Amino acid sequence: MKNETIFSEAAMVAAPEHKLAVIGLGYVGLPLALAFGAVRPVVGFDVDTLRVAELTAGIDRTNETSPAEISDATFLRYTSELRDLDECTCFIVAVPTPIDRHKQPDFNPLILATRSIAPILRPGGLVIYESTVYPGATEEICVPVLEELSGLTYNVDFFVGYSPERINPGDKNHRLRNITKVTAGSTAAVADVVDQIYRQIITAGTHRAPSIKVAEAAKVIENTQRDLNIALMNELAILFRILDIDTDAVIKAAGTKWNFMPFRPGLVGGHCIGVDPYYLTHKAEAVGYIPEIILAGRRLNDRMGAYVVAQLVKVMTKRRIQVDGAHILIMGYTFKENCPDIRNTRVRDIVRELGEYNCVVEVYDPWVAATALEREDTVTLIPYPKRGKYDGIIMAVAHDEFKQTGPAEIRSFGSQSHVFFDLKSVFEPKASDLRL
């Protein structure tokens, strides 16, 4: 048995500096690995062998890191071989926590990552999770797997930490180093160790939470709060359209008050905001509480794709533009502007809904490669729109390239009689036929 020599908490804390591994080199894991790799030895592990080969060659397909950041990580070694983790004593797990088609938490990536490192875990080892989960999940789901497959005892032979990720894809201002990092540990002494590890790379400082559950809850409500605020703005946008009031003008007017929060209506997708609330509601329902407001916000935001199409079809019908067989151009397919991430993009809902009207849909997005499309995507990506072709145009994502293109050029893609829907209200009201 691995636990023939019992490692006390004090022994773990007093042990030499941990040999570090980052598990998962996506949007969350890669910036971590690079930051640590600039100051200490670290192994970056990912099951995607192509991803590892690209990173070894200095290529980051997510565009979230710069060539300079990659080259500065001189202590970082990439691998897709578990045997390369044998000498590691601290594992930071940064894998996705998606939802399934029934909107239930999908813990498979997290469990698989945990199962991979458990046999390598040695007495005195530390596992830190960054993946977003519901409060209690780390100790309820991950720890039992670690105990079973390692033969070690939790908080006796090995320890666990939690530090929720706060990566914002496409944001070049709020970066890993300058965002306060919440940290937590399975004991007070372990919490100190976890906090010290992250202080090596976080210039903005850390916030030590009193428990892992508190840190888990803090992360999941960050995105739930944003989801609900956007849901409120979406509902107001629907109401203001009925009242024939420009939502953007209302937001600008209300924004003159110092404590008004200028959330904007729109599609809510991505790996966090459109997903994390379901982790919280799952746990709430498991303990017998039905979270009415959170679920109401989720339902409203999930319906916005259908609402967008309904508004487009309504205006096209009023202008006697035949909807059945109409050519529709969608500008943007990522879940947000200026990034290639299409995870949980709600533009997918627009494409699907237009298909119900038998429309011919083409998608133009300079940030998306055809190879990045997921199995469920049935979109036709085009290199650039043709002039005079489309009966309807939806600018669904506010990429900088589209802003620079301008409304006149975008209008030129439309047929003689067409409808231009500026979903993100990027341009002045008179430049489009519809705004959200």
Side-chain angles (χ1 to χ4, degrees):
M1 293 290 289
K2 285 187 178 182
N3 60 350
E4 288 177 355
T5 303
I6 301 299
F7 267 66
S8 68
E9 175 186 9
M12 188 283 294
V13 175
E17 189 176 68
H18 283 284
K19 295 180 180 178
L20 187 63
V22 175
I23 311 301
L25 299 175
Y27 284 86
V28 175
L30 180 60
L32 273 173
L34 292 174
F36 280 119
V39 298
R40 61 183 289 176
V42 58
V43 179
F45 174 85
D46 201 288
V47 294
D48 185 344
T49 55
L50 177 59
R51 173 73 165 158
V52 169
E54 290 174 345
L55 291 172
T56 302
I59 301 169
D60 174 21
R61 70 176 77 140
T62 70
N63 295 324
E64 286 298 306
T65 58
S66 67
E69 288 173 310
I70 294 177
S71 62
D72 286 346
T74 55
F75 299 107
L76 172 60
R77 181 163 60 101
Y78 303 103
T79 185
S80 57
E81 299 289 340
L82 284 171
R83 64 173 176 267
D84 291 330
L85 306 179
D86 282 346
E87 299 302 316
C88 295
T89 55
C90 177
F91 304 87
I92 299 180
V93 179
V95 297
T97 44
I99 53 175
D100 62 23
R101 61 191 183 93
H102 302 295
K103 303 188 187 304
Q104 294 297 307
D106 178 4
F107 284 107
N108 283 323
L110 192 61
I111 293 172
L112 287 172
T114 302
R115 292 180 67 88
S116 295
I117 62 178
I120 308 170
L121 195 60
R122 290 187 176 87
L126 174 63
V127 183
I128 304 172
Y129 290 91
E130 290 225 356
S131 306
T132 303
V133 293
Y134 61 71
T138 298
E139 292 171 293
E140 294 170 8
I141 294 176
C142 300
V143 167
V145 174
L146 291 172
E147 286 192 309
E148 177 187 358
L149 298 183
S150 70
L152 303 175
T153 302
Y154 177 48
N155 277 343
V156 174
D157 305 317
F158 75 93
F159 306 88
V160 169
Y162 187 79
S163 182
E165 61 91 2
R166 282 177 164 170
I167 297 296
N168 187 27
D171 189 338
K172 300 305 180 184
N173 296 314
H174 300 95
R175 311 293 290 169
L176 172 67
R177 293 181 183 273
N178 64 16
I179 300 174
T180 301
K181 201 84 166 75
V182 175
T183 66
S186 53
T187 71
V190 173
D192 283 338
V193 174
V194 174
D195 203 64
Q196 290 165 12
I197 289 172
Y198 281 105
R199 284 183 186 178
Q200 294 178 339
I201 61 170
I202 305 298
T203 57
T206 59
H207 174 88
R208 182 178 151 179
S211 69
I212 289 176
K213 280 188 178 181
V214 168
E216 291 168 326
K219 168 58 181 176
V220 78
I221 71 163
E222 289 173 16
N223 290 321
T224 300
Q225 182 186 67
R226 185 167 177 80
D227 189 44
L228 286 171
N229 276 298
I230 297 173
L232 172 62
M233 299 313 297
N234 278 334
E235 187 160 61
L236 290 174
I238 294 170
L239 172 60
F240 292 153
R241 172 155 298 283
I242 296 172
L243 298 176
D244 195 25
I245 301 173
D246 184 83
T247 303
D248 185 58
V250 174
I251 293 173
K252 288 178 180 176
T256 59
K257 188 180 180 186
W258 72 92
N259 61 351
F260 178 79
M261 295 185 292
F263 286 91
R264 305 193 65 84
L267 305 175
V268 182
H271 67 296
C272 283
I273 300 178
V275 173
D276 295 354
Y278 287 120
Y279 278 76
L280 188 57
T281 58
H282 171 81
K283 183 61 175 179
E285 291 171 348
V287 296
Y289 179 76
I290 306 301
E292 298 180 17
I293 294 176
I294 299 173
L295 287 173
R298 279 281 73 238
R299 285 192 295 269
L300 197 150
N301 284 340
D302 279 348
R303 291 198 300 263
M304 287 307 293
Y307 173 78
V308 166
V309 173
Q311 296 308 302
L312 176 71
V313 167
K314 184 182 294 184
V315 176
M316 290 177 65
T317 302
K318 286 182 178 179
R319 295 187 179 181
R320 291 180 168 79
I321 301 173
Q322 183 170 321
V323 176
D324 188 350
H327 286 79
I328 308 295
L329 171 66
I330 296 179
M331 299 181 66
Y333 196 69
T334 60
F335 89 88
K336 65 179 294 187
E337 65 277 4
N338 304 324
C339 81
D341 195 345
I342 64 170
R343 287 177 295 173
N344 197 37
T345 175
R346 302 288 26 118
V347 183
R348 189 177 287 125
D349 299 341
I350 294 177
V351 174
R352 188 182 300 115
E353 192 72 14
L354 286 168
E356 295 294 316
Y357 287 95
N358 199 32
C359 295
V360 180
V361 181
E362 292 181 348
V363 175
Y364 169 54
D365 193 324
W367 282 86
V368 177
T371 53
L373 295 179
E374 299 175 5
R375 185 178 305 173
E376 61 184 296
D377 292 307
T378 56
V379 304
T380 301
L381 284 176
I382 58 173
Y384 199 77
K386 293 182 179 179
R387 293 177 180 271
K389 178 177 181 179
Y390 304 97
D391 304 299
I393 301 169
I394 301 175
M395 194 170 82
V397 184
H399 289 317
D400 286 345
E401 290 89 340
F402 298 161
K403 296 177 183 178
Q404 294 164 5
T405 299
E409 174 72 5
I410 292 173
R411 284 281 200 184
S412 73
F413 303 146
S415 59
Q416 186 173 3
S417 180
H418 68 273
V419 177
F420 173 30
F421 196 152
D422 180 6
L423 195 154
K424 302 291 289 186
S425 298
V426 171
F427 305 119
E428 291 298 314
K430 62 182 179 181
S432 61
D433 305 298
L434 277 169
R435 300 182 350 143
L436 193 56

